[in-house]
Amino acid sequence: IAGREFNVSVLERDHEPVVLPMAEMRFDALPPGILPIVDYTAKWSEDSASYRLLQRRFGVESLEPDLAGKLEAAALDCWRAAGLRGYARIDVRVDEAGEVYILEFNANPCLAPDAGFAAAVDAAGLSYVQAIDDIVAAAHPHQATPCSAFAL
């Protein structure tokens, strides 16, 4: 699907899904011949051009609030339809007409501190430890020991 790509991270907080700041994956810096998609190479091959040149940009909420509203609604529809809990990332494409296409809903996106979900957590002004606490609390709402209780 030709168009813009967004990662919409969702974190369950107090039993409710919260859409975190949305990241647009920018392909502008990629050299000719590299497909504008976030594939395995772009995610994991540190020596590749797509890994080094793919850019994540936040700010669609303030720059394009109507589009952000459509992305948020789509992400929350996916969350509810799939019965997601804890955290997730919904990847979407938006075509030139503004139509939103769901690429995937990822019920277990990478939680590495340098990955996209953590970047969204940071953009939301939350600490990484708080986000992990929220994920654990969603999985075990009556038994969770916050990560902040441990030396990380």
PDB file of all heavy atoms in Angstrom, residues 3-36:
ATOM      1  N   GLY A   3       1.948   4.991   0.506  1.00  0.00           N
ATOM      2  CA  GLY A   3       1.501   6.034   1.409  1.00  0.00           C
ATOM      3  C   GLY A   3       2.390   6.185   2.614  1.00  0.00           C
ATOM      4  O   GLY A   3       3.512   5.683   2.658  1.00  0.00           O
ATOM      5  N   ARG A   4       1.872   6.857   3.586  1.00  0.00           N
ATOM      6  CA  ARG A   4       2.602   7.117   4.836  1.00  0.00           C
ATOM      7  C   ARG A   4       2.381   5.960   5.809  1.00  0.00           C
ATOM      8  O   ARG A   4       1.323   5.343   5.811  1.00  0.00           O
ATOM      9  CB  ARG A   4       2.089   8.414   5.442  1.00  0.00           C
ATOM     10  CG  ARG A   4       2.317   9.605   4.513  1.00  0.00           C
ATOM     11  CD  ARG A   4       1.513  10.816   4.921  1.00  0.00           C
ATOM     12  NE  ARG A   4       1.970  11.358   6.195  1.00  0.00           N
ATOM     13  CZ  ARG A   4       1.310  12.318   6.854  1.00  0.00           C
ATOM     14  NH1 ARG A   4       0.177  12.811   6.378  1.00  0.00           N
ATOM     15  NH2 ARG A   4       1.782  12.765   8.000  1.00  0.00           N
ATOM     16  N   GLU A   5       3.391   5.708   6.645  1.00  0.00           N
ATOM     17  CA  GLU A   5       3.288   4.620   7.614  1.00  0.00           C
ATOM     18  C   GLU A   5       3.389   5.173   9.026  1.00  0.00           C
ATOM     19  O   GLU A   5       4.242   6.012   9.312  1.00  0.00           O
ATOM     20  CB  GLU A   5       4.381   3.581   7.377  1.00  0.00           C
ATOM     21  CG  GLU A   5       4.236   2.379   8.274  1.00  0.00           C
ATOM     22  CD  GLU A   5       5.030   1.175   7.813  1.00  0.00           C
ATOM     23  OE1 GLU A   5       5.270   1.028   6.599  1.00  0.00           O
ATOM     24  OE2 GLU A   5       5.398   0.365   8.676  1.00  0.00           O
ATOM     25  N   PHE A   6       2.517   4.672   9.892  1.00  0.00           N
ATOM     26  CA  PHE A   6       2.490   5.098  11.289  1.00  0.00           C
ATOM     27  C   PHE A   6       2.516   3.882  12.201  1.00  0.00           C
ATOM     28  O   PHE A   6       1.936   2.847  11.888  1.00  0.00           O
ATOM     29  CB  PHE A   6       1.219   5.904  11.589  1.00  0.00           C
ATOM     30  CG  PHE A   6       1.174   7.238  10.905  1.00  0.00           C
ATOM     31  CD1 PHE A   6       0.667   7.341   9.621  1.00  0.00           C
ATOM     32  CD2 PHE A   6       1.641   8.373  11.535  1.00  0.00           C
ATOM     33  CE1 PHE A   6       0.619   8.567   8.976  1.00  0.00           C
ATOM     34  CE2 PHE A   6       1.602   9.604  10.897  1.00  0.00           C
ATOM     35  CZ  PHE A   6       1.092   9.700   9.611  1.00  0.00           C
ATOM     36  N   ASN A   7       3.190   4.043  13.331  1.00  0.00           N
ATOM     37  CA  ASN A   7       3.151   3.074  14.417  1.00  0.00           C
ATOM     38  C   ASN A   7       2.346   3.712  15.536  1.00  0.00           C
ATOM     39  O   ASN A   7       2.698   4.793  16.014  1.00  0.00           O
ATOM     40  CB  ASN A   7       4.538   2.751  14.950  1.00  0.00           C
ATOM     41  CG  ASN A   7       5.443   2.076  13.946  1.00  0.00           C
ATOM     42  OD1 ASN A   7       6.655   2.155  14.076  1.00  0.00           O
ATOM     43  ND2 ASN A   7       4.904   1.423  12.933  1.00  0.00           N
ATOM     44  N   VAL A   8       1.277   3.044  15.939  1.00  0.00           N
ATOM     45  CA  VAL A   8       0.414   3.560  16.993  1.00  0.00           C
ATOM     46  C   VAL A   8       0.526   2.614  18.182  1.00  0.00           C
ATOM     47  O   VAL A   8       0.014   1.494  18.138  1.00  0.00           O
ATOM     48  CB  VAL A   8      -1.045   3.695  16.513  1.00  0.00           C
ATOM     49  CG1 VAL A   8      -1.900   4.336  17.599  1.00  0.00           C
ATOM     50  CG2 VAL A   8      -1.121   4.504  15.211  1.00  0.00           C
ATOM     51  N   SER A   9       1.220   3.067  19.209  1.00  0.00           N
ATOM     52  CA  SER A   9       1.416   2.253  20.407  1.00  0.00           C
ATOM     53  C   SER A   9       0.294   2.519  21.390  1.00  0.00           C
ATOM     54  O   SER A   9      -0.151   3.659  21.570  1.00  0.00           O
ATOM     55  CB  SER A   9       2.766   2.594  21.055  1.00  0.00           C
ATOM     56  OG  SER A   9       3.825   2.238  20.191  1.00  0.00           O
ATOM     57  N   VAL A  10      -0.153   1.434  22.033  1.00  0.00           N
ATOM     58  CA  VAL A  10      -1.239   1.519  23.003  1.00  0.00           C
ATOM     59  C   VAL A  10      -0.764   0.855  24.286  1.00  0.00           C
ATOM     60  O   VAL A  10      -0.204  -0.246  24.261  1.00  0.00           O
ATOM     61  CB  VAL A  10      -2.518   0.820  22.480  1.00  0.00           C
ATOM     62  CG1 VAL A  10      -3.660   0.960  23.480  1.00  0.00           C
ATOM     63  CG2 VAL A  10      -2.923   1.373  21.116  1.00  0.00           C
ATOM     64  N   LEU A  11      -0.993   1.529  25.405  1.00  0.00           N
ATOM     65  CA  LEU A  11      -0.600   1.034  26.717  1.00  0.00           C
ATOM     66  C   LEU A  11      -1.832   1.003  27.604  1.00  0.00           C
ATOM     67  O   LEU A  11      -2.557   1.995  27.698  1.00  0.00           O
ATOM     68  CB  LEU A  11       0.462   1.965  27.324  1.00  0.00           C
ATOM     69  CG  LEU A  11       0.936   1.665  28.742  1.00  0.00           C
ATOM     70  CD1 LEU A  11       1.652   0.310  28.809  1.00  0.00           C
ATOM     71  CD2 LEU A  11       1.853   2.784  29.235  1.00  0.00           C
ATOM     72  N   GLU A  12      -2.072  -0.126  28.254  1.00  0.00           N
ATOM     73  CA  GLU A  12      -3.190  -0.221  29.187  1.00  0.00           C
ATOM     74  C   GLU A  12      -2.770   0.409  30.506  1.00  0.00           C
ATOM     75  O   GLU A  12      -1.775   0.008  31.110  1.00  0.00           O
ATOM     76  CB  GLU A  12      -3.582  -1.688  29.397  1.00  0.00           C
ATOM     77  CG  GLU A  12      -4.830  -1.858  30.224  1.00  0.00           C
ATOM     78  CD  GLU A  12      -5.289  -3.300  30.298  1.00  0.00           C
ATOM     79  OE1 GLU A  12      -4.957  -4.100  29.402  1.00  0.00           O
ATOM     80  OE2 GLU A  12      -6.007  -3.622  31.265  1.00  0.00           O
ATOM     81  N   ARG A  13      -3.553   1.397  30.921  1.00  0.00           N
ATOM     82  CA  ARG A  13      -3.300   2.075  32.197  1.00  0.00           C
ATOM     83  C   ARG A  13      -4.616   2.115  32.958  1.00  0.00           C
ATOM     84  O   ARG A  13      -5.618   2.570  32.419  1.00  0.00           O
ATOM     85  CB  ARG A  13      -2.782   3.497  31.979  1.00  0.00           C
ATOM     86  CG  ARG A  13      -1.527   3.527  31.104  1.00  0.00           C
ATOM     87  CD  ARG A  13      -0.785   4.825  31.201  1.00  0.00           C
ATOM     88  NE  ARG A  13      -0.001   4.769  32.444  1.00  0.00           N
ATOM     89  CZ  ARG A  13       0.425   5.853  33.084  1.00  0.00           C
ATOM     90  NH1 ARG A  13       0.164   7.042  32.620  1.00  0.00           N
ATOM     91  NH2 ARG A  13       1.123   5.733  34.196  1.00  0.00           N
ATOM     92  N   ASP A  14      -4.622   1.622  34.166  1.00  0.00           N
ATOM     93  CA  ASP A  14      -5.842   1.579  34.975  1.00  0.00           C
ATOM     94  C   ASP A  14      -7.007   0.933  34.219  1.00  0.00           C
ATOM     95  O   ASP A  14      -8.114   1.455  34.188  1.00  0.00           O
ATOM     96  CB  ASP A  14      -6.220   2.994  35.451  1.00  0.00           C
ATOM     97  CG  ASP A  14      -5.134   3.612  36.322  1.00  0.00           C
ATOM     98  OD1 ASP A  14      -4.552   2.871  37.154  1.00  0.00           O
ATOM     99  OD2 ASP A  14      -4.861   4.811  36.157  1.00  0.00           O
ATOM    100  N   HIS A  15      -6.711  -0.182  33.551  1.00  0.00           N
ATOM    101  CA  HIS A  15      -7.696  -1.011  32.849  1.00  0.00           C
ATOM    102  C   HIS A  15      -8.257  -0.372  31.570  1.00  0.00           C
ATOM    103  O   HIS A  15      -9.250  -0.853  31.036  1.00  0.00           O
ATOM    104  CB  HIS A  15      -8.850  -1.412  33.777  1.00  0.00           C
ATOM    105  CG  HIS A  15      -8.395  -1.958  35.091  1.00  0.00           C
ATOM    106  ND1 HIS A  15      -7.726  -3.153  35.210  1.00  0.00           N
ATOM    107  CD2 HIS A  15      -8.485  -1.452  36.349  1.00  0.00           C
ATOM    108  CE1 HIS A  15      -7.433  -3.370  36.482  1.00  0.00           C
ATOM    109  NE2 HIS A  15      -7.879  -2.352  37.188  1.00  0.00           N
ATOM    110  N   GLU A  16      -7.650   0.687  31.096  1.00  0.00           N
ATOM    111  CA  GLU A  16      -8.114   1.352  29.874  1.00  0.00           C
ATOM    112  C   GLU A  16      -6.960   1.488  28.886  1.00  0.00           C
ATOM    113  O   GLU A  16      -5.834   1.816  29.282  1.00  0.00           O
ATOM    114  CB  GLU A  16      -8.658   2.750  30.185  1.00  0.00           C
ATOM    115  CG  GLU A  16      -9.934   2.751  30.996  1.00  0.00           C
ATOM    116  CD  GLU A  16     -11.109   2.139  30.260  1.00  0.00           C
ATOM    117  OE1 GLU A  16     -11.202   2.304  29.022  1.00  0.00           O
ATOM    118  OE2 GLU A  16     -11.937   1.484  30.919  1.00  0.00           O
ATOM    119  N   PRO A  17      -7.229   1.275  27.590  1.00  0.00           N
ATOM    120  CA  PRO A  17      -6.176   1.483  26.597  1.00  0.00           C
ATOM    121  C   PRO A  17      -5.925   2.979  26.384  1.00  0.00           C
ATOM    122  O   PRO A  17      -6.866   3.761  26.250  1.00  0.00           O
ATOM    123  CB  PRO A  17      -6.755   0.842  25.332  1.00  0.00           C
ATOM    124  CG  PRO A  17      -8.238   0.942  25.506  1.00  0.00           C
ATOM    125  CD  PRO A  17      -8.488   0.829  26.993  1.00  0.00           C
ATOM    126  N   VAL A  18      -4.659   3.355  26.393  1.00  0.00           N
ATOM    127  CA  VAL A  18      -4.254   4.738  26.174  1.00  0.00           C
ATOM    128  C   VAL A  18      -3.372   4.765  24.937  1.00  0.00           C
ATOM    129  O   VAL A  18      -2.355   4.067  24.871  1.00  0.00           O
ATOM    130  CB  VAL A  18      -3.469   5.292  27.391  1.00  0.00           C
ATOM    131  CG1 VAL A  18      -2.945   6.693  27.103  1.00  0.00           C
ATOM    132  CG2 VAL A  18      -4.339   5.267  28.642  1.00  0.00           C
ATOM    133  N   VAL A  19      -3.760   5.552  23.953  1.00  0.00           N
ATOM    134  CA  VAL A  19      -2.950   5.690  22.752  1.00  0.00           C
ATOM    135  C   VAL A  19      -1.812   6.656  23.054  1.00  0.00           C
ATOM    136  O   VAL A  19      -2.045   7.795  23.479  1.00  0.00           O
ATOM    137  CB  VAL A  19      -3.795   6.185  21.554  1.00  0.00           C
ATOM    138  CG1 VAL A  19      -2.911   6.456  20.346  1.00  0.00           C
ATOM    139  CG2 VAL A  19      -4.865   5.157  21.219  1.00  0.00           C
ATOM    140  N   LEU A  20      -0.599   6.185  22.862  1.00  0.00           N
ATOM    141  CA  LEU A  20       0.593   7.001  23.099  1.00  0.00           C
ATOM    142  C   LEU A  20       0.861   7.875  21.872  1.00  0.00           C
ATOM    143  O   LEU A  20       0.255   7.669  20.812  1.00  0.00           O
ATOM    144  CB  LEU A  20       1.784   6.082  23.389  1.00  0.00           C
ATOM    145  CG  LEU A  20       1.618   5.146  24.596  1.00  0.00           C
ATOM    146  CD1 LEU A  20       2.843   4.242  24.731  1.00  0.00           C
ATOM    147  CD2 LEU A  20       1.374   5.927  25.869  1.00  0.00           C
ATOM    148  N   PRO A  21       1.760   8.843  21.983  1.00  0.00           N
ATOM    149  CA  PRO A  21       2.085   9.644  20.795  1.00  0.00           C
ATOM    150  C   PRO A  21       2.445   8.745  19.611  1.00  0.00           C
ATOM    151  O   PRO A  21       3.170   7.762  19.752  1.00  0.00           O
ATOM    152  CB  PRO A  21       3.273  10.479  21.265  1.00  0.00           C
ATOM    153  CG  PRO A  21       3.025  10.651  22.736  1.00  0.00           C
ATOM    154  CD  PRO A  21       2.470   9.317  23.175  1.00  0.00           C
ATOM    155  N   MET A  22       1.888   9.094  18.465  1.00  0.00           N
ATOM    156  CA  MET A  22       2.013   8.261  17.271  1.00  0.00           C
ATOM    157  C   MET A  22       3.260   8.627  16.488  1.00  0.00           C
ATOM    158  O   MET A  22       3.574   9.805  16.317  1.00  0.00           O
ATOM    159  CB  MET A  22       0.773   8.438  16.403  1.00  0.00           C
ATOM    160  CG  MET A  22      -0.476   7.961  17.111  1.00  0.00           C
ATOM    161  SD  MET A  22      -1.962   8.350  16.177  1.00  0.00           S
ATOM    162  CE  MET A  22      -2.786   9.422  17.343  1.00  0.00           C
ATOM    163  N   ALA A  23       3.952   7.599  16.009  1.00  0.00           N
ATOM    164  CA  ALA A  23       5.191   7.797  15.260  1.00  0.00           C
ATOM    165  C   ALA A  23       4.958   7.562  13.775  1.00  0.00           C
ATOM    166  O   ALA A  23       4.417   6.530  13.383  1.00  0.00           O
ATOM    167  CB  ALA A  23       6.273   6.844  15.769  1.00  0.00           C
ATOM    168  N   GLU A  24       5.370   8.532  12.979  1.00  0.00           N
ATOM    169  CA  GLU A  24       5.373   8.326  11.536  1.00  0.00           C
ATOM    170  C   GLU A  24       6.748   7.816  11.145  1.00  0.00           C
ATOM    171  O   GLU A  24       7.771   8.379  11.541  1.00  0.00           O
ATOM    172  CB  GLU A  24       5.074   9.615  10.776  1.00  0.00           C
ATOM    173  CG  GLU A  24       5.046   9.387   9.274  1.00  0.00           C
ATOM    174  CD  GLU A  24       4.585  10.589   8.470  1.00  0.00           C
ATOM    175  OE1 GLU A  24       4.375  11.670   9.047  1.00  0.00           O
ATOM    176  OE2 GLU A  24       4.435  10.430   7.244  1.00  0.00           O
ATOM    177  N   MET A  25       6.761   6.745  10.385  1.00  0.00           N
ATOM    178  CA  MET A  25       8.019   6.205   9.887  1.00  0.00           C
ATOM    179  C   MET A  25       8.325   6.920   8.571  1.00  0.00           C
ATOM    180  O   MET A  25       7.543   6.842   7.624  1.00  0.00           O
ATOM    181  CB  MET A  25       7.917   4.691   9.696  1.00  0.00           C
ATOM    182  CG  MET A  25       7.500   3.948  10.961  1.00  0.00           C
ATOM    183  SD  MET A  25       8.453   4.380  12.441  1.00  0.00           S
ATOM    184  CE  MET A  25      10.041   3.720  12.007  1.00  0.00           C
ATOM    185  N   ARG A  26       9.431   7.640   8.556  1.00  0.00           N
ATOM    186  CA  ARG A  26       9.780   8.479   7.406  1.00  0.00           C
ATOM    187  C   ARG A  26      10.842   7.784   6.560  1.00  0.00           C
ATOM    188  O   ARG A  26      11.881   7.386   7.059  1.00  0.00           O
ATOM    189  CB  ARG A  26      10.289   9.835   7.882  1.00  0.00           C
ATOM    190  CG  ARG A  26       9.296  10.628   8.728  1.00  0.00           C
ATOM    191  CD  ARG A  26       8.124  11.086   7.933  1.00  0.00           C
ATOM    192  NE  ARG A  26       8.609  11.863   6.810  1.00  0.00           N
ATOM    193  CZ  ARG A  26       7.961  12.818   6.206  1.00  0.00           C
ATOM    194  NH1 ARG A  26       6.753  13.094   6.577  1.00  0.00           N
ATOM    195  NH2 ARG A  26       8.496  13.467   5.205  1.00  0.00           N
ATOM    196  N   PHE A  27      10.556   7.696   5.276  1.00  0.00           N
ATOM    197  CA  PHE A  27      11.422   7.007   4.326  1.00  0.00           C
ATOM    198  C   PHE A  27      12.188   7.980   3.425  1.00  0.00           C
ATOM    199  O   PHE A  27      12.884   7.558   2.510  1.00  0.00           O
ATOM    200  CB  PHE A  27      10.586   6.060   3.456  1.00  0.00           C
ATOM    201  CG  PHE A  27       9.760   5.088   4.255  1.00  0.00           C
ATOM    202  CD1 PHE A  27       8.389   5.262   4.401  1.00  0.00           C
ATOM    203  CD2 PHE A  27      10.350   3.997   4.870  1.00  0.00           C
ATOM    204  CE1 PHE A  27       7.625   4.372   5.132  1.00  0.00           C
ATOM    205  CE2 PHE A  27       9.594   3.094   5.613  1.00  0.00           C
ATOM    206  CZ  PHE A  27       8.227   3.285   5.739  1.00  0.00           C
ATOM    207  N   ASP A  28      12.055   9.278   3.664  1.00  0.00           N
ATOM    208  CA  ASP A  28      12.608  10.311   2.789  1.00  0.00           C
ATOM    209  C   ASP A  28      14.101  10.152   2.510  1.00  0.00           C
ATOM    210  O   ASP A  28      14.569  10.474   1.417  1.00  0.00           O
ATOM    211  CB  ASP A  28      12.412  11.707   3.393  1.00  0.00           C
ATOM    212  CG  ASP A  28      11.013  11.952   3.885  1.00  0.00           C
ATOM    213  OD1 ASP A  28      10.580  11.237   4.805  1.00  0.00           O
ATOM    214  OD2 ASP A  28      10.357  12.867   3.365  1.00  0.00           O
ATOM    215  N   ALA A  29      14.864   9.704   3.499  1.00  0.00           N
ATOM    216  CA  ALA A  29      16.322   9.645   3.365  1.00  0.00           C
ATOM    217  C   ALA A  29      16.822   8.362   2.710  1.00  0.00           C
ATOM    218  O   ALA A  29      18.024   8.219   2.476  1.00  0.00           O
ATOM    219  CB  ALA A  29      16.970   9.813   4.739  1.00  0.00           C
ATOM    220  N   LEU A  30      15.929   7.433   2.405  1.00  0.00           N
ATOM    221  CA  LEU A  30      16.358   6.169   1.796  1.00  0.00           C
ATOM    222  C   LEU A  30      16.819   6.405   0.361  1.00  0.00           C
ATOM    223  O   LEU A  30      16.193   7.168  -0.385  1.00  0.00           O
ATOM    224  CB  LEU A  30      15.225   5.148   1.804  1.00  0.00           C
ATOM    225  CG  LEU A  30      14.749   4.645   3.158  1.00  0.00           C
ATOM    226  CD1 LEU A  30      13.615   3.655   2.982  1.00  0.00           C
ATOM    227  CD2 LEU A  30      15.879   4.030   3.951  1.00  0.00           C
ATOM    228  N   PRO A  31      17.890   5.749  -0.033  1.00  0.00           N
ATOM    229  CA  PRO A  31      18.356   5.888  -1.417  1.00  0.00           C
ATOM    230  C   PRO A  31      17.411   5.186  -2.395  1.00  0.00           C
ATOM    231  O   PRO A  31      16.633   4.309  -1.996  1.00  0.00           O
ATOM    232  CB  PRO A  31      19.730   5.219  -1.405  1.00  0.00           C
ATOM    233  CG  PRO A  31      19.747   4.348  -0.207  1.00  0.00           C
ATOM    234  CD  PRO A  31      18.767   4.910   0.772  1.00  0.00           C
ATOM    235  N   PRO A  32      17.461   5.573  -3.673  1.00  0.00           N
ATOM    236  CA  PRO A  32      16.621   4.904  -4.680  1.00  0.00           C
ATOM    237  C   PRO A  32      16.876   3.399  -4.674  1.00  0.00           C
ATOM    238  O   PRO A  32      17.994   2.943  -4.437  1.00  0.00           O
ATOM    239  CB  PRO A  32      17.081   5.534  -5.992  1.00  0.00           C
ATOM    240  CG  PRO A  32      17.731   6.825  -5.609  1.00  0.00           C
ATOM    241  CD  PRO A  32      18.312   6.613  -4.241  1.00  0.00           C
ATOM    242  N   GLY A  33      15.807   2.661  -4.910  1.00  0.00           N
ATOM    243  CA  GLY A  33      15.929   1.210  -4.982  1.00  0.00           C
ATOM    244  C   GLY A  33      15.590   0.490  -3.686  1.00  0.00           C
ATOM    245  O   GLY A  33      15.424  -0.720  -3.680  1.00  0.00           O
ATOM    246  N   ILE A  34      15.509   1.213  -2.580  1.00  0.00           N
ATOM    247  CA  ILE A  34      15.125   0.587  -1.309  1.00  0.00           C
ATOM    248  C   ILE A  34      13.645   0.862  -1.103  1.00  0.00           C
ATOM    249  O   ILE A  34      13.201   2.013  -1.105  1.00  0.00           O
ATOM    250  CB  ILE A  34      15.962   1.118  -0.132  1.00  0.00           C
ATOM    251  CG1 ILE A  34      17.425   0.731  -0.320  1.00  0.00           C
ATOM    252  CG2 ILE A  34      15.420   0.572   1.187  1.00  0.00           C
ATOM    253  CD1 ILE A  34      18.337   1.163   0.803  1.00  0.00           C
ATOM    254  N   LEU A  35      12.879  -0.202  -0.951  1.00  0.00           N
ATOM    255  CA  LEU A  35      11.441  -0.062  -0.785  1.00  0.00           C
ATOM    256  C   LEU A  35      11.104   0.692   0.502  1.00  0.00           C
ATOM    257  O   LEU A  35      11.713   0.433   1.549  1.00  0.00           O
ATOM    258  CB  LEU A  35      10.767  -1.432  -0.758  1.00  0.00           C
ATOM    259  CG  LEU A  35      10.778  -2.218  -2.055  1.00  0.00           C
ATOM    260  CD1 LEU A  35      10.194  -3.614  -1.829  1.00  0.00           C
ATOM    261  CD2 LEU A  35       9.993  -1.478  -3.130  1.00  0.00           C
ATOM    262  N   PRO A  36      10.131   1.578   0.440  1.00  0.00           N
ATOM    263  CA  PRO A  36       9.732   2.334   1.629  1.00  0.00           C
ATOM    264  C   PRO A  36       8.812   1.513   2.540  1.00  0.00           C
ATOM    265  O   PRO A  36       7.626   1.799   2.694  1.00  0.00           O
ATOM    266  CB  PRO A  36       9.014   3.548   1.030  1.00  0.00           C
ATOM    267  CG  PRO A  36       8.446   3.039  -0.243  1.00  0.00           C
ATOM    268  CD  PRO A  36       9.424   2.026  -0.757  1.00  0.00           C
TER     269      PRO A  36
END
